[in-house]
Each structure stands twice: as structure tokens, then as C-alpha cells.
Amino acid sequence: MLRVGLTGGIGSGKSTVARRLAEHGAVVIDADRIAREVVEPGTDGLAEIRAAFGDDVISDGALDRARLARRVFTDEAARATLNGIVHPRIGARTAELMAAAPEDGIVVHDVPLLVENHLGPAYHLVLVVDAPEEERVHRVVRDRGMSEQDARARITAQATEEARRAAADVWLDNGGSPDEVLAVVDALWADRLVRYEANVRLRRRARYGTPRIVEPDPTWPAQATRLRERIAMAAGHLARRVDHIGSTSVPGLPAKDVIDLQVTVASLADADAMADQLATAGFPKHPTIDRDNPKPYAPDPEQWRKRYHGSADPGRPANVHIRVEGGPGWRYALLFPDWLRANPDERDAYQATKKELAERFAGDDDTENYAVAKESWFDAAGPRAEEWASRTGWHPSH
């Protein structure tokens, strides 16, 4: 199934987005609703809260959520106690609902504290709903009867916009009319989520057409970080490190809008052992590519063996190269971007080569001819990069 994390600050209107996704057929799991269920009258969760906080947080046999919230809002120890009671129960119930979803389902997990608890790597995609602060305050006062002071305090206590943007694969601006954000959600469902789910289920990479060279995107590093964290979670201890490599890792360098990542492993057996987990996480293995092109200084093709996975996400092209630590391909993938970052003249020369080749092969249906033609530049650049590495004491662990 496709796992989608949905979050947003208080008053952002994420429930509007959740309802629309449910109308399209998504299985929506509401963390707030589960949090209420596990402390309903008669549950052991409520009994444990009563034992920990006393009868003053109980009203007519039910949890007085407002009184409990005031109790723990500024008391870190009390909040930790409450979390220790409810979080395991929420986790267990969430797992039950996830397991009950259909194999071809799109599960939307509505989690208010997704960013604060750094849960993003557990999902294929994270959707963040946002609105201007004044609009959020107005909604909370109007819809929840909260005072303006309390509304602002709640907003201040939650994740910052910067943190939410760093976690967001999709940013949904809900500051306008409901129809505006709903139209965006409709397009997201049809153009990305449905196709993404099918690709994950069928273990196939997304098709993007012919990539073209675009101007540098300052969000490429943040996008790469999200992908790296998902890969690291899926691969577990088999991945020694996951690095953002390639042109999109070099600031100021125009590139194809494709994130390249390298997973370091101890052996190709480890690479094969993680293949299924990566496919489930949205990075299926390519059926035929199993090595890089040898360079003149290491001509033995066996030295360049690797495993290669691609992204199943139609909205985020990515290549995942799995290489054995210490191999020439592994070393070059780490050296190349560091060398370009440190040598602007070389970066500019590479940029000119990319532009010329992109124009030459602009009419091709894929990038194979472009990639082959670029190899001659890499062959010539390799010795210069190695000379720089020797002169500066560069090491892959830096």
C-alpha cells in the first residue's frame, strides 16, 4: 500500500484535505480520533490516566481533555507521563488499522505532530497543509471557541513553518477558499498518488519522459535529505551511509531535476538483501543495470559492479546507486561533487558540456545517448579530480 503522512498546524484546515482524500477512496487514519478512542470511558487507558493525574481530570466518567491539556501544557514531566500512557496504545491501534487496509490502498495517516516527532521517513510521501497565521488564529477562535491568546500559544508551541517545509514533499496552501485547495488535492490524487501506489505495488520505477537541464533548485538538498532518510529507514543496518551525490548536490550547478543518491554497503550481497525493503519503500530495483562504466584508471568491469534502484514516485525522479565501500565507483561518486564544489572553473566547464549535450540529444526519447556522450568528459576529468584529492588530502569520510 501507499503510506501518506498528512499534517499541519492547528487551524491549517488539514481536515478539509483529509475529507477530500477520503472521498477519492483513501483510507484515512486519524491520529487524534485514535487518541480519543484509547481513553474513552471503560478503557484501561483512561484508568491509567486517572491513576496518574487524579480524579480532577475526569468529568462525568469521561476524560476532561481541556483540563488535562492545561495540566500538561507547561509541565514537561507530566506531558512525558501522559505520552507514556497514550502513545503505545495509539501505536498499537494504528498498526491494526494499517494492517486492515487493502493491499492496493492509499493510506493517509493524519498526524498533527508528524513534524515534531520526525515521523516523515516512515511514509512514502508527506503532505503538509498550511495557512497564514492570522487566518489560522481566526479559524481556531471561530470554530473551537478558543481565546485568541490560547490560539496563538498553541501555534507557537507547534512546529515552525521552516520545519514543516523541510518535512513536506507536498505543500498545500489552504489560505484561500476551500475550492482552491480541493482542486490541488484532486490533481494530486489523480496525477501522483494513484500512479505512485500502482508503481509501488507492481515494483516498477516511474516514467518521467526525457529529463532536461534546469536551473539550480535551492530545495534539492532538502528533497535529497527526505529521500535519504526513507532509504536509511528501509535499509536498516545494511546501509552504512546514504549520500546525496551527482549534479543536484553541487550548489549553483544546473542539472536534470533528478536526485541521485548513493547507498554504501559492505557487499553486493547486502545490496541484494535490502532490495525488497527498498522496493516497498518506493525504490524498486532496475532489472538489468548492474555496473558503472569502467574508467581508464580502473578498466576491470568487475570493479564497477553495483545495484541500481529508481523512484516509484511520479512527482520526484530519483536514482539510487548501491555501491560497495572502497570501490572505484563508490569513491568517484563521492569525490566528483566535492571536487566541483571546490573548483568553480571545473564546475563551469562541466556545466557547458552538459548544456551542449542536452541540446544535441534534446529530441531523444530517453537519456541513454546523452549519458554515453558525457562519459568522455568524466574520463578526462577523473585524473584532475584525483590530483586535487591527493593535493588537498581529500578523503571519502570527510
Side-chain angles (χ1 to χ4, degrees):
M1 69 187 71
L2 190 75
R3 301 182 307 278
V4 178
L6 173 65
T7 193
I10 186 171
S12 63
K14 65 181 174 62
S15 59
T16 299
V17 173
R19 283 194 298 270
R20 187 60 147 211
L21 290 168
E23 290 171 2
H24 281 296
V27 177
V28 176
I29 299 175
D30 187 332
D32 272 349
R33 181 176 299 173
I34 295 174
R36 290 190 293 271
E37 289 177 358
V38 299
V39 293
E40 286 180 345
T43 62
D44 59 352
L46 181 60
E48 194 167 340
I49 287 176
R50 184 196 293 266
F53 295 96
D55 289 339
D56 61 335
V57 299
I58 307 298
S59 177
D60 296 328
L63 180 65
D64 188 329
R65 299 175 66 84
R67 184 171 292 179
L68 179 60
R70 289 194 295 271
R71 179 89 168 266
V72 304
F73 187 69
T74 58
D75 186 332
E76 186 174 342
R79 190 162 59 251
T81 297
L82 177 63
N83 289 341
I85 295 171
V86 299
H87 283 181
R89 292 173 169 84
I90 293 172
R93 179 58 178 155
T94 300
E96 289 178 6
L97 294 173
M98 286 272 190
E103 291 185 1
D104 61 349
I106 297 174
V107 176
V108 175
H109 193 193
D110 183 343
V111 188
L113 299 181
L114 183 151
V115 175
E116 290 85 342
N117 292 329
H118 194 61
L119 301 177
Y123 303 98
H124 292 97
L125 211 63
V126 170
L127 316 183
V128 174
V129 187
D130 193 59
E133 181 173 327
E134 292 306 313
E135 176 62 23
R136 292 169 60 194
V137 170
H138 171 72
R139 291 172 181 172
V140 172
V141 171
R142 180 194 64 196
D143 300 336
R144 305 194 185 191
M146 195 178 292
S147 71
E148 180 178 337
Q149 181 179 2
D150 286 347
R152 293 190 185 278
R154 289 283 296 274
I155 290 173
T156 300
Q158 293 181 335
T160 63
E161 178 180 332
E162 181 183 15
R164 286 199 176 98
R165 285 192 179 275
D169 298 292
V170 178
W171 186 265
L172 297 169
D173 185 349
N174 193 24
S177 71
D179 286 345
E180 291 177 290
V181 74
L182 292 179
V184 175
V185 173
D186 292 344
L188 174 68
W189 178 268
D191 298 337
R192 191 168 185 179
L193 299 185
V194 171
R195 295 166 57 199
Y196 196 175
E197 182 282 320
N199 288 340
V200 170
R201 175 165 39 87
L202 299 173
R203 298 294 198 261
R204 68 187 181 196
R205 296 169 297 116
R207 297 185 63 85
Y208 305 103
T210 304
R212 58 186 179 84
I213 304 297
V214 299
E215 290 303 305
D217 183 343
T219 71
W220 278 337
Q223 294 183 56
T225 295
R226 292 193 293 273
L227 297 178
R228 288 173 51 226
E229 290 176 345
R230 288 185 181 120
I231 289 169
M233 176 174 283
H237 71 279
L238 296 175
R240 294 191 168 186
R241 58 191 276 189
V242 184
D243 293 280
H244 181 199
I245 60 171
S247 296
T248 58
S249 71
V250 181
L253 179 64
K256 299 190 298 294
D257 187 17
V258 180
I259 303 295
D260 279 278
L261 303 161
Q262 176 169 271
V263 181
T264 298
V265 293
S267 68
L268 289 180
D270 283 351
D272 293 334
M274 69 173 66
D276 189 60
Q277 294 97 305
L278 290 181
T280 300
F283 304 96
K285 181 182 175 182
H286 192 286
T288 59
I289 295 178
D290 64 356
R291 69 190 66 223
D292 295 306
N293 293 319
K295 299 290 183 291
Y297 58 84
D300 183 359
E302 286 299 303
Q303 291 183 286
W304 297 86
R305 294 176 65 208
K306 69 174 183 179
R307 297 295 182 261
Y308 172 63
H309 293 237
S311 174
D313 180 3
R316 175 64 273 167
N319 300 319
V320 181
H321 310 265
I322 308 179
R323 298 183 174 104
V324 175
E325 185 170 13
W330 172 84
R331 174 185 169 85
Y332 193 73
L334 297 172
L335 169 61
F336 178 70
D338 282 355
W339 173 60
L340 290 183
R341 293 184 198 107
N343 295 274
D345 289 345
E346 294 286 6
R347 184 197 64 194
D348 293 345
Y350 181 49
Q351 177 179 333
T353 298
K354 286 159 62 78
K355 181 179 178 181
E356 188 273 323
L357 293 177
E359 292 174 352
R360 186 193 309 176
F361 299 110
D364 288 6
D365 292 334
D366 56 40
T367 60
E368 183 176 355
N369 290 329
Y370 168 85
V372 170
K374 203 166 58 171
E375 283 300 315
S376 62
W377 191 90
F378 286 122
D379 290 346
R384 301 198 301 274
E386 288 293 351
E387 186 279 329
W388 172 82
S390 177
R391 175 165 45 83
T392 60
W394 176 88
H395 191 272
S397 63
H398 291 174

Short mmCIF file of all heavy atoms in Angstrom, two decimals, residues 153-179:
data_model
loop_
_atom_site.label_atom_id
_atom_site.label_comp_id
_atom_site.label_asym_id
_atom_site.label_seq_id
_atom_site.Cartn_x
_atom_site.Cartn_y
_atom_site.Cartn_z
N ALA A 153 -0.80 30.76 21.48
CA ALA A 153 0.11 29.94 22.27
C ALA A 153 0.23 28.54 21.68
O ALA A 153 1.33 27.96 21.62
CB ALA A 153 -0.37 29.86 23.72
N ARG A 154 -0.88 27.97 21.24
CA ARG A 154 -0.85 26.65 20.62
C ARG A 154 -0.04 26.67 19.33
O ARG A 154 0.76 25.75 19.06
CB ARG A 154 -2.28 26.17 20.32
CG ARG A 154 -3.09 25.81 21.55
CD ARG A 154 -2.69 24.46 22.11
NE ARG A 154 -2.99 23.38 21.17
CZ ARG A 154 -4.15 22.77 21.08
NH1 ARG A 154 -5.17 23.15 21.86
NH2 ARG A 154 -4.33 21.79 20.22
N ILE A 155 -0.23 27.70 18.53
CA ILE A 155 0.52 27.81 17.28
C ILE A 155 2.01 27.93 17.55
O ILE A 155 2.85 27.28 16.91
CB ILE A 155 0.01 29.00 16.45
CG1 ILE A 155 -1.40 28.69 15.91
CG2 ILE A 155 0.96 29.32 15.30
CD1 ILE A 155 -2.07 29.86 15.23
N THR A 156 2.37 28.75 18.54
CA THR A 156 3.79 28.95 18.88
C THR A 156 4.43 27.66 19.37
O THR A 156 5.61 27.40 19.11
CB THR A 156 3.92 30.04 19.95
OG1 THR A 156 3.37 31.27 19.44
CG2 THR A 156 5.38 30.25 20.33
N ALA A 157 3.65 26.83 20.06
CA ALA A 157 4.20 25.59 20.63
C ALA A 157 4.41 24.51 19.59
O ALA A 157 5.12 23.53 19.84
CB ALA A 157 3.28 25.08 21.73
N GLN A 158 3.81 24.67 18.42
CA GLN A 158 3.92 23.65 17.38
C GLN A 158 5.12 23.92 16.48
O GLN A 158 5.84 24.90 16.64
CB GLN A 158 2.63 23.59 16.57
CG GLN A 158 1.44 23.09 17.38
CD GLN A 158 0.16 23.01 16.56
OE1 GLN A 158 -0.02 23.72 15.58
NE2 GLN A 158 -0.74 22.13 16.96
N ALA A 159 5.35 23.03 15.52
CA ALA A 159 6.50 23.15 14.62
C ALA A 159 6.45 24.46 13.85
O ALA A 159 5.38 24.97 13.52
CB ALA A 159 6.51 21.97 13.66
N THR A 160 7.62 24.98 13.54
CA THR A 160 7.71 26.21 12.76
C THR A 160 7.41 25.93 11.29
O THR A 160 7.46 24.78 10.83
CB THR A 160 9.11 26.82 12.86
OG1 THR A 160 10.06 25.89 12.28
CG2 THR A 160 9.49 27.09 14.31
N GLU A 161 7.12 26.97 10.56
CA GLU A 161 6.91 26.82 9.12
C GLU A 161 8.17 26.25 8.45
O GLU A 161 8.09 25.41 7.56
CB GLU A 161 6.54 28.15 8.47
CG GLU A 161 6.35 28.04 6.96
CD GLU A 161 5.98 29.36 6.30
OE1 GLU A 161 5.37 30.22 6.97
OE2 GLU A 161 6.31 29.52 5.11
N GLU A 162 9.34 26.71 8.88
CA GLU A 162 10.59 26.22 8.31
C GLU A 162 10.72 24.70 8.49
O GLU A 162 11.10 23.98 7.56
CB GLU A 162 11.78 26.93 8.97
CG GLU A 162 13.13 26.49 8.42
CD GLU A 162 14.29 27.17 9.13
OE1 GLU A 162 14.07 27.76 10.21
OE2 GLU A 162 15.42 27.11 8.60
N ALA A 163 10.40 24.21 9.70
CA ALA A 163 10.50 22.78 9.95
C ALA A 163 9.49 22.01 9.12
O ALA A 163 9.78 20.92 8.60
CB ALA A 163 10.28 22.50 11.43
N ARG A 164 8.29 22.56 8.97
CA ARG A 164 7.27 21.88 8.17
C ARG A 164 7.67 21.84 6.69
O ARG A 164 7.45 20.85 6.00
CB ARG A 164 5.91 22.56 8.34
CG ARG A 164 5.26 22.26 9.70
CD ARG A 164 3.76 22.54 9.66
NE ARG A 164 3.16 22.15 10.93
CZ ARG A 164 2.89 22.99 11.92
NH1 ARG A 164 3.17 24.27 11.77
NH2 ARG A 164 2.36 22.55 13.04
N ARG A 165 8.22 22.92 6.19
CA ARG A 165 8.65 22.93 4.79
C ARG A 165 9.76 21.92 4.56
O ARG A 165 9.80 21.26 3.51
CB ARG A 165 9.10 24.33 4.37
CG ARG A 165 7.96 25.31 4.16
CD ARG A 165 8.40 26.59 3.49
NE ARG A 165 7.30 27.50 3.26
CZ ARG A 165 6.47 27.46 2.21
NH1 ARG A 165 6.64 26.53 1.29
NH2 ARG A 165 5.49 28.33 2.09
N ALA A 166 10.65 21.76 5.52
CA ALA A 166 11.72 20.78 5.37
C ALA A 166 11.17 19.36 5.31
O ALA A 166 11.75 18.49 4.65
CB ALA A 166 12.71 20.91 6.53
N ALA A 167 10.05 19.11 5.97
CA ALA A 167 9.47 17.77 6.01
C ALA A 167 8.51 17.50 4.86
O ALA A 167 8.15 16.34 4.61
CB ALA A 167 8.73 17.56 7.33
N ALA A 168 8.08 18.55 4.16
CA ALA A 168 6.99 18.43 3.19
C ALA A 168 7.47 17.98 1.81
O ALA A 168 8.30 18.65 1.20
CB ALA A 168 6.25 19.76 3.06
N ASP A 169 6.92 16.88 1.33
CA ASP A 169 7.07 16.53 -0.07
C ASP A 169 6.07 17.31 -0.91
O ASP A 169 6.33 17.63 -2.07
CB ASP A 169 6.84 15.03 -0.28
CG ASP A 169 7.85 14.19 0.45
OD1 ASP A 169 9.04 14.23 0.07
OD2 ASP A 169 7.48 13.49 1.41
N VAL A 170 4.92 17.60 -0.32
CA VAL A 170 3.88 18.39 -0.98
C VAL A 170 3.40 19.45 0.01
O VAL A 170 3.01 19.12 1.13
CB VAL A 170 2.69 17.51 -1.42
CG1 VAL A 170 1.60 18.37 -2.07
CG2 VAL A 170 3.14 16.42 -2.38
N TRP A 171 3.44 20.70 -0.42
CA TRP A 171 3.00 21.81 0.41
C TRP A 171 1.65 22.29 -0.12
O TRP A 171 1.54 22.71 -1.26
CB TRP A 171 4.02 22.95 0.35
CG TRP A 171 3.75 24.10 1.27
CD1 TRP A 171 3.10 25.26 0.96
CD2 TRP A 171 4.13 24.21 2.64
NE1 TRP A 171 3.05 26.09 2.05
CE2 TRP A 171 3.68 25.47 3.10
CE3 TRP A 171 4.80 23.38 3.53
CZ2 TRP A 171 3.89 25.91 4.40
CZ3 TRP A 171 5.01 23.81 4.83
CH2 TRP A 171 4.56 25.06 5.26
N LEU A 172 0.61 22.20 0.72
CA LEU A 172 -0.74 22.57 0.32
C LEU A 172 -1.12 23.87 1.01
O LEU A 172 -1.31 23.92 2.22
CB LEU A 172 -1.73 21.46 0.69
CG LEU A 172 -1.50 20.12 -0.01
CD1 LEU A 172 -2.35 19.03 0.63
CD2 LEU A 172 -1.81 20.24 -1.49
N ASP A 173 -1.23 24.94 0.23
CA ASP A 173 -1.58 26.25 0.77
C ASP A 173 -3.10 26.33 0.90
O ASP A 173 -3.82 26.36 -0.10
CB ASP A 173 -1.07 27.35 -0.17
CG ASP A 173 -1.29 28.74 0.38
OD1 ASP A 173 -2.04 28.88 1.39
OD2 ASP A 173 -0.75 29.71 -0.19
N ASN A 174 -3.57 26.37 2.14
CA ASN A 174 -5.00 26.41 2.40
C ASN A 174 -5.42 27.78 2.95
O ASN A 174 -6.33 27.88 3.77
CB ASN A 174 -5.39 25.31 3.39
CG ASN A 174 -6.89 25.09 3.47
OD1 ASN A 174 -7.61 25.40 2.53
ND2 ASN A 174 -7.35 24.56 4.59
N GLY A 175 -4.75 28.82 2.48
CA GLY A 175 -5.07 30.16 2.95
C GLY A 175 -6.20 30.81 2.19
O GLY A 175 -6.73 31.84 2.63
N GLY A 176 -6.60 30.23 1.06
CA GLY A 176 -7.68 30.81 0.27
C GLY A 176 -9.00 30.11 0.51
O GLY A 176 -9.27 29.59 1.59
N SER A 177 -9.80 30.06 -0.54
CA SER A 177 -11.10 29.40 -0.42
C SER A 177 -10.90 27.89 -0.42
O SER A 177 -9.92 27.38 -0.96
CB SER A 177 -12.00 29.80 -1.59
OG SER A 177 -11.53 29.21 -2.80
N PRO A 178 -11.84 27.15 0.19
CA PRO A 178 -11.72 25.68 0.18
C PRO A 178 -11.61 25.10 -1.23
O PRO A 178 -10.91 24.11 -1.43
CB PRO A 178 -13.00 25.23 0.89
CG PRO A 178 -13.40 26.37 1.76
CD PRO A 178 -12.99 27.61 1.00
N ASP A 179 -12.31 25.70 -2.19
CA ASP A 179 -12.29 25.16 -3.55
C ASP A 179 -10.88 25.17 -4.13
O ASP A 179 -10.52 24.29 -4.92
CB ASP A 179 -13.21 25.97 -4.47
CG ASP A 179 -14.68 25.68 -4.20
OD1 ASP A 179 -14.96 24.67 -3.53
OD2 ASP A 179 -15.53 26.46 -4.67
#
